[in-house]
């Protein structure tokens, strides 16, 4: 192998209901990336333990994420859909990466500081170390690209740091094993086992904000259900939430610059643009100068048109979970086979007897 084969990997945690932000910022991009790419999409149930240790509905939440993948258009036959805990090689490589990563690197992770809050002494070790598991999720398949939002970009940079340190520390072992590939990182030639994974950042609405506060990201954990549109919401709920969405007293501007300082207006225009595959400028060309009493009903109709087929298919899949379970089981088998190729070579490079 003279170069790393392009492979896209990403995962979604089974914590709380999937919402519009998850769909526009992640899942819809997963679907688009299927064209021309080898893709692996994972329900990261091991990561869910860092948010909450005990889950009464973990099986249902896991199936729900998989159902959303399938309902949105991901093909589990051409690509791989599975749940993380079905592939123990993720955890095995994560331990090795725990030994590769440096405490100083982990201390720079801003998400740990945000999620742990003021009482960091009470945070779990898993929450602190989960970027190592995230790196293992990606690199156990030697994936080359990951679609991420800006809030995960720092973790991807850590995955690159871990990969680079492993490649350099085990350089001679990698070369002797015959598993490595000659790459250039900056101006430095490296005989690498793991690739320098690249982020795929973009999309029309990478950050969908709360319907109740345009300065906060739409979140599963927000106590107000009115703050988000869940993918399992029916048409009545979608209509209610959009009509009750916070706005300001002014009408819609004719130019994008007119949205500055108006986070709620900007958010609703961004959502419409993403759902319609248009730019904000194109949306304002149609609705500029009009009141929200005109714009909101149009947004309701568009949201229902886009989301209703996905919601209907998710409900159908969740009514008979045997199909979802079969997809996850087969995906897990395929993922384990790929991950074991990597792990058998990593064990050889390290010098583990097995």
């Amino acid at each position: 192998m003279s170069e790393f084969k392009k492979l896209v990997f990403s995962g979604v945690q089974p914590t709380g209901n999937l919402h519009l932000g998850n769909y526009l910022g992640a899942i819809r991009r997963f679907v688009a990336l299927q064209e021309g790419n080898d893709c692996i999409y994972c329900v990261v149930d091991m990561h869910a333990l860092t948010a909450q240790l005990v889950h009464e509905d973990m099986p249902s939440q896991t199936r729900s994420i998989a159902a959303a993948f399938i309902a949105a258009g991901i093909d589990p036959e051409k690509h791989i859909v599975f749940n993380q805990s079905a592939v123990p090689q993720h955890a095995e490589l994560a331990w090795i990466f725990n030994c590769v990563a440096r405490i100083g690197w982990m201390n720079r992770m801003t998400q740990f500081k945000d999620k742990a809050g003021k009482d960091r002494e009470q945070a779990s070790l898993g929450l602190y170390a989960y970027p190592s598991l995230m790196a293992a999720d990606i690199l156990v398949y030697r994936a080359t690209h990951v679609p991420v939002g800006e809030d995960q970009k720092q973790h991807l940079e850590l995955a690159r740091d871990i990969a680079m340190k492993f490649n350099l520390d085990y350089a001679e072992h990698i070369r002797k094993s015959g598993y490595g590939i000659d790459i250039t990182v900056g101006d430095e030639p490296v005989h690498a086992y793991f690739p320098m994974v690249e982020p795929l950042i973009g999309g029309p609405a990478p950050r969908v904000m709360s319907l109740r506060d345009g300065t906060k990201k739409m979140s599963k954990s927000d106590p107000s259900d009115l703050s988000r549109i869940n993918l399992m919401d029916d048409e009545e709920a979608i209509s209610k939430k959009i009509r009750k969405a916070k706005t300001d007293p002014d009408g819609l501007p004719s130019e994008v610059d007119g949205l500055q300082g108006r986070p709620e207006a900007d958010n609703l225009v961004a959502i419409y643009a993403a759902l319609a595959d248009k730019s904000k400028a194109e949306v304002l060309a149609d609705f500029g100068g009009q009141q929200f009493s005109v714009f909101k009903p149009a947004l309701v109709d568009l949201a229902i048109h886009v989301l209703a087929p996905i919601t209907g298919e998710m409900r159908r899949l969740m009514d008979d979970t045997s199909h979802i379970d079969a997809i996850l089981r087969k995906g897990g088998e395929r993922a384990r086979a790929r991950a074991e190729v990597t792990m058998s070579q990593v064990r050889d490079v390290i010098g583990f007897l097995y």
Side-chain angles (χ1 to χ4, degrees):
M1 189 163 56
S2 59
E3 62 181 21
F4 291 104
K5 180 184 176 184
K6 186 176 181 182
L7 173 64
V8 174
F9 177 92
S10 196
V12 175
Q13 275 198 47
T15 51
N17 294 323
L18 283 178
H19 53 68
L20 181 65
N22 301 129
Y23 173 68
L24 292 176
I27 296 174
R28 190 168 71 166
R29 296 182 64 210
F30 295 176
V31 175
L33 285 168
Q34 292 181 114
E35 298 301 320
N37 292 301
D38 185 13
C39 300
I40 299 178
Y41 294 129
C42 181
V43 185
V44 288
D45 47 3
M46 293 165 65
H47 281 292
L49 301 184
T50 67
Q52 176 185 335
L53 182 60
V54 179
H55 293 257
E56 300 299 333
D57 59 349
M58 181 75 88
S60 176
Q61 292 289 348
T62 300
R63 291 175 178 130
S64 178
I65 303 296
F69 287 168
I70 307 308
I74 290 172
D75 187 338
E77 294 296 324
K78 292 182 179 178
H79 306 279
I80 296 178
V81 175
F82 73 107
N83 58 300
Q84 181 187 27
S85 61
V87 182
Q89 291 86 349
H90 285 244
E92 183 180 2
L93 186 58
W95 173 252
I96 294 169
F97 284 174
N98 281 345
C99 298
V100 173
R102 306 290 93 179
I103 291 291
W105 301 356
M106 293 300 188
N107 286 339
R108 289 195 293 270
M109 297 295 105
T110 55
Q111 278 218 359
F112 171 74
K113 298 172 186 176
D114 293 341
K115 291 182 178 181
K118 295 179 180 179
D119 194 1
R120 293 178 192 167
E121 295 298 316
Q122 293 300 313
S124 74
L125 180 59
L127 182 63
Y128 184 72
Y130 94 91
S132 282
L133 177 57
M134 181 177 171
D137 297 335
I138 300 162
L139 294 172
V140 78
Y141 305 103
R142 299 169 90 184
T144 58
H145 292 80
V146 177
V148 294
E150 286 290 343
D151 57 345
Q152 289 292 336
K153 190 176 178 182
Q154 188 185 38
H155 289 159
L156 206 59
E157 290 170 352
L158 178 69
R160 290 169 58 91
D161 289 341
I162 290 173
M164 186 65 166
K165 184 165 173 38
F166 182 94
N167 291 336
L168 293 177
D169 286 353
Y170 284 101
E172 291 306 313
H173 294 228
I174 294 168
R175 191 171 294 280
K176 288 178 182 177
S177 72
Y179 301 135
I181 295 172
D182 289 319
I183 64 173
T184 302
V185 181
D187 295 327
E188 182 179 1
V190 178
H191 192 66
Y193 181 76
F194 289 116
M196 296 293 101
V197 61
E198 296 288 344
L200 295 171
I201 297 176
R207 285 180 67 86
V208 177
M209 312 308 281
S210 165
L211 298 178
R212 307 303 293 167
D213 182 350
T215 66
K216 296 180 179 179
K217 190 175 178 180
M218 187 176 285
S219 171
K220 306 171 188 175
S221 60
D222 193 306
S224 172
D225 193 53
L226 290 174
S227 69
R228 59 187 169 268
I229 295 173
N230 302 306
L231 289 190
M232 292 290 274
D233 282 344
D234 59 24
E235 295 182 11
E236 182 179 350
I238 292 173
S239 177
K240 176 184 176 182
K241 290 177 179 182
I242 291 176
R243 291 177 190 278
K244 285 183 172 291
K246 183 180 177 182
T247 56
D248 54 47
D250 298 327
L252 288 168
S254 298
E255 305 291 337
V256 174
D257 288 348
L259 295 172
Q260 290 184 5
R262 302 177 62 189
E264 285 78 24
D266 184 56
N267 186 40
L268 292 183
V269 171
I271 290 171
Y272 191 106
L275 289 170
D277 284 322
K278 292 182 176 181
S279 67
K280 291 182 186 179
E282 289 173 314
V283 175
L284 293 177
D286 294 334
F287 291 97
Q290 300 194 51
Q291 298 298 314
F292 283 101
S293 59
V294 174
F295 181 70
K296 282 185 174 181
L299 180 55
V300 168
D301 291 343
L302 177 60
I304 290 173
H305 173 74
V306 173
L307 297 178
I310 297 172
T311 302
E313 181 64 5
M314 284 182 68
R315 291 183 184 278
R316 187 187 71 80
L317 290 168
M318 292 299 289
D319 284 343
D320 179 9
T321 59
S322 60
H323 182 56
I324 287 293
D325 288 351
I327 287 173
L328 290 172
R329 187 163 51 250
K330 183 176 180 181
E333 292 169 357
R334 293 166 64 198
R336 278 195 303 276
R338 288 200 188 192
E340 182 53 27
V341 171
T342 299
M343 283 313 307
S344 65
Q345 293 177 352
V346 168
R347 295 182 202 115
D348 195 20
V349 166
I350 290 174
F352 288 159
L353 295 175
Y354 60 97

